[in-house]
Amino acid sequence: MTDLAESAVADDPEAMASCQIPDRYRAAVVLAADQGVFAGIPSNERDLHQTLHVTEVPTPEPQPGEVLIAVMASSINYNTVWTAMFEPVSTFRFLNAFARTHTSAARHDQPYHVAGSDAAGVVLRVGPGVTRWRPGDEIVTHCLHVDLADHAGHDDALRDPDQRIWGYETNFGGLAELALVQATQLMPKPAHLTWEEAASLNLTLSTAYRQLVSAHGAAMKQGDRVLIWGACGGLGGYATQLVLNGGGIPICVVSSEEKAALCRRRGAELIINREGFEFWDPHGNPRRGNWSRFRDTVRDLAGGDPEIVFEHPGRETFGVSVLCAARGGTVVTCASTSGYEHVYDNRHLWMHVKRIIGSHSANYAEAWRANDLVIRGRIQPILSRVYPLDRVADAACAVRANAHLGKVGVLCLAPKEGLGIRDERTRERHLDQITLFQWNS
Ligand code: NDP
């Protein structure tokens, strides 16, 4: 029987499938014992190297409906930054609450939490009742963990009261050599991408898809102007592509000329550098003049107000987003990176019949549609830089510091970048766009 690590080096999924499963595996974890280390330290001064460790943990056994996967590569999502900061709450609270729901969930409550909500890899073992997948399959993961035991989620899984984000609200996540997922989380890996490219898509892409394209989100139409904050970040980098694909007009907001150039190379024409727009004074009071100046800048650039505003920075921008949206327009939000207590002038909302939509992750149908766009070569990865698993804390720190472009990858079992490509022809056709964000990593 071959060794899993050796089979991974050979990039041989069939051999990986027949390997003996190791009893322990390397994983990026936070520890319950560390929960107090940041007491009294402001968020922006918390050093994630103190809390995001790489260590060995025991291999979990797949239960009915579950799959154990070999993770070739993963990527950093902002939820791993929150996890390592123990903000806004410690994820051990989620794991503890999950463990109390059912005896089969009890094993999620451990003194360690394996983080990570994206992965590309190979099916190793399937639990009882899994029929759709078999060992050796090359897969990517969707982060939605849900049983659909409650009828509330049958039309849209995000309404299920037991819906969780894998690797954030559950244990055994993707920043590791092995990971445990529900079989329903698996989707086929796009054959023309490397492992690390494939692992850099799903959480943020599917979230942006639901926000913009889905009927559960803003249901964008051809010709819609869409204001996109952070257009070179994880969510915004995919949002820009979705808007261009759908015949919309992206208005990309970024914070540097380097990022503006990237947006142009992707095909966006309307770009605003947010440097010079301070929306709040040092005492936390709104600078209304700058809110209006930003609205006017958008209006002049786009020849009108945006029908959709793609929101996630939260407190710093939310009031401006509500102001900027067109009459009858939509602000669709999935996050509050800069603070979750938002301030906006409600007159702009009600008198101009705007609406705010809350959005979170994506249901299975949305995730599969988004993944299909990747497989068809209509959405390209935005991977800029890749770290080995041992340097996962450096990777998370780069994202926390906003010192990254697009997505930051992490190699887990893959020994180097560039493995996993099975369809060279499709890759060749889209190579310029696939590697666009790598131009300056
Ligand atoms: P990234 O850090 O990759 O990108 C965020 C971008 O936002 C940055 O590139 C930056 O661009 C911009 N930004 C940062 N701070 C500000 C600010 N104060 N004002 C305006 N723009 C700002 O993160 P992601 O895109 O991956 O995630 C963003 C947020 O969304 C996170 O809080 C994350 O947890 C959340 N999220 C929520 C999901 C859900 O399902 N609910 C799913 C995915 C993410 P620039 O500096 O160029 O303007």
Side-chain angles (χ1 to χ4, degrees):
M1 198 169 271
T2 48
D3 175 71
L4 183 60
E6 280 172 23
S7 313
V9 169
D11 196 17
D12 184 345
E14 288 303 324
M16 290 170 79
S18 59
C19 285
Q20 183 160 7
I21 307 288
D23 292 339
R24 300 176 72 78
Y25 65 104
R26 286 167 64 247
V29 302
V30 290
L31 302 174
D34 283 345
Q35 288 176 93
V37 296
F38 292 140
I41 300 176
S43 306
N44 57 1
E45 292 172 24
R46 297 181 176 191
D47 180 2
L48 310 188
H49 293 92
Q50 269 184 269
T51 49
L52 198 54
H53 312 281
V54 176
T55 188
E56 286 207 335
V57 296
T59 303
E61 186 69 23
Q63 292 188 352
E66 292 182 340
V67 177
L68 186 71
I69 59 171
V71 183
M72 295 297 274
S74 182
S75 63
I76 301 293
N77 285 298
Y78 215 96
N79 65 7
T80 294
V81 174
W82 300 123
T83 300
M85 289 201 292
F86 297 113
E87 285 233 327
V89 294
S90 164
T91 52
F92 288 97
R93 267 175 56 182
F94 302 140
L95 301 184
N96 185 265
F98 182 29
R100 281 187 272 111
T101 58
H102 192 266
T103 47
S104 67
R107 71 216 148 111
H108 285 263
D109 192 12
Q110 300 286 345
Y112 57 84
H113 179 194
V114 182
S117 302
D118 262 317
V122 175
V123 171
L124 289 184
R125 296 287 182 273
V126 300
V130 174
T131 53
R132 170 68 174 78
W133 303 98
R134 62 174 192 83
D137 285 346
E138 300 188 10
I139 50 80
V140 289
T141 55
H142 173 38
C143 63
L144 185 64
H145 184 289
V146 63
D147 288 331
L148 293 178
D150 192 298
H151 73 93
H154 290 178
D155 188 41
D156 178 16
L158 270 305
R159 295 185 181 209
D160 189 301
D162 289 322
Q163 164 271 319
R164 291 180 173 81
I165 301 298
W166 165 68
Y168 181 59
E169 294 165 293
T170 78
N171 216 324
F172 317 118
L175 285 164
E177 293 174 337
L178 303 179
L180 190 70
V181 296
Q182 295 179 310
T184 43
Q185 286 178 247
L186 298 181
M187 302 184 290
K189 171 187 169 287
H192 62 291
L193 298 183
T194 65
W195 294 113
E196 58 277 9
E197 288 163 355
S200 71
L201 285 142
N202 285 297
L203 184 142
T204 42
L205 169 61
S206 62
T207 302
Y209 184 94
R210 180 180 173 99
Q211 276 185 272
L212 289 174
V213 183
S214 169
H216 293 114
M220 191 197 85
K221 297 184 295 303
Q222 294 181 38
D224 278 352
R225 302 179 190 95
V226 184
L227 181 70
I228 301 170
W229 295 103
C232 279
L235 288 170
Y238 292 124
T240 302
Q241 295 183 59
L242 290 166
V243 173
L244 287 167
N245 278 353
I249 303 163
I251 307 159
C252 296
V253 186
V254 291
S255 61
S256 72
E257 286 311 309
E258 179 194 25
K259 291 180 179 179
L262 263 181
C263 293
R264 268 184 216 105
R265 290 180 55 177
R266 185 64 90 196
E269 293 171 357
L270 310 181
I271 298 152
I272 298 173
N273 188 337
R274 70 179 169 93
E275 283 180 325
F277 287 100
E278 297 278 324
F279 297 133
W280 300 86
D281 72 18
H283 309 291
N285 301 311
R287 289 187 155 133
R288 303 262 184 213
N290 281 351
W291 293 26
S292 304
R293 189 163 65 84
F294 187 86
R295 189 262 322 270
D296 294 345
T297 302
V298 172
R299 191 176 272 173
D300 290 348
L301 189 66
D305 296 330
E307 281 79 12
I308 301 170
V309 181
F310 183 81
E311 242 299 330
H312 51 87
R315 179 175 161 78
E316 293 245 353
T317 57
F318 199 84
V320 182
S321 294
V322 172
L323 175 67
C324 284
R327 281 175 184 262
T330 302
V331 177
V332 59
T333 177
C334 75
S336 291
T337 316
S338 64
Y340 49 78
E341 289 180 317
H342 298 177
V343 174
Y344 64 90
D345 186 332
N346 201 31
R347 292 169 299 176
H348 299 310
L349 193 78
W350 98 70
M351 294 181 73
H352 296 173
V353 290
K354 304 176 188 184
R355 61 188 183 139
I356 296 168
I357 297 180
S359 192
H360 185 45
S361 186
N363 64 31
Y364 295 134
E366 291 156 348
W368 273 77
R369 283 193 205 111
N371 194 49
D372 273 347
L373 289 173
V374 181
I375 289 171
R376 295 175 199 191
R378 302 302 306 270
I379 290 284
Q380 315 302 343
I382 52 173
L383 184 67
S384 63
R385 185 156 185 201
V386 180
Y387 291 79
L389 183 58
D390 285 334
R391 292 188 56 207
V392 67
D394 289 341
C397 284
V399 172
R400 205 273 299 272
N402 195 18
H404 67 302
L405 295 171
K407 295 291 298 180
V408 171
V410 176
L411 292 181
C412 297
L413 279 169
K416 60 179 181 183
E417 295 177 47
L419 301 178
I421 301 164
R422 313 291 181 226
D423 174 0
E424 292 280 4
R425 271 180 53 192
T426 304
R427 183 175 185 82
E428 198 52 43
R429 231 178 23 247
H430 301 291
L431 195 59
D432 284 356
Q433 289 293 314
I434 290 173
T435 54
L436 186 62
F437 274 62
Q438 292 168 23
W439 72 301
N440 187 1
S441 57

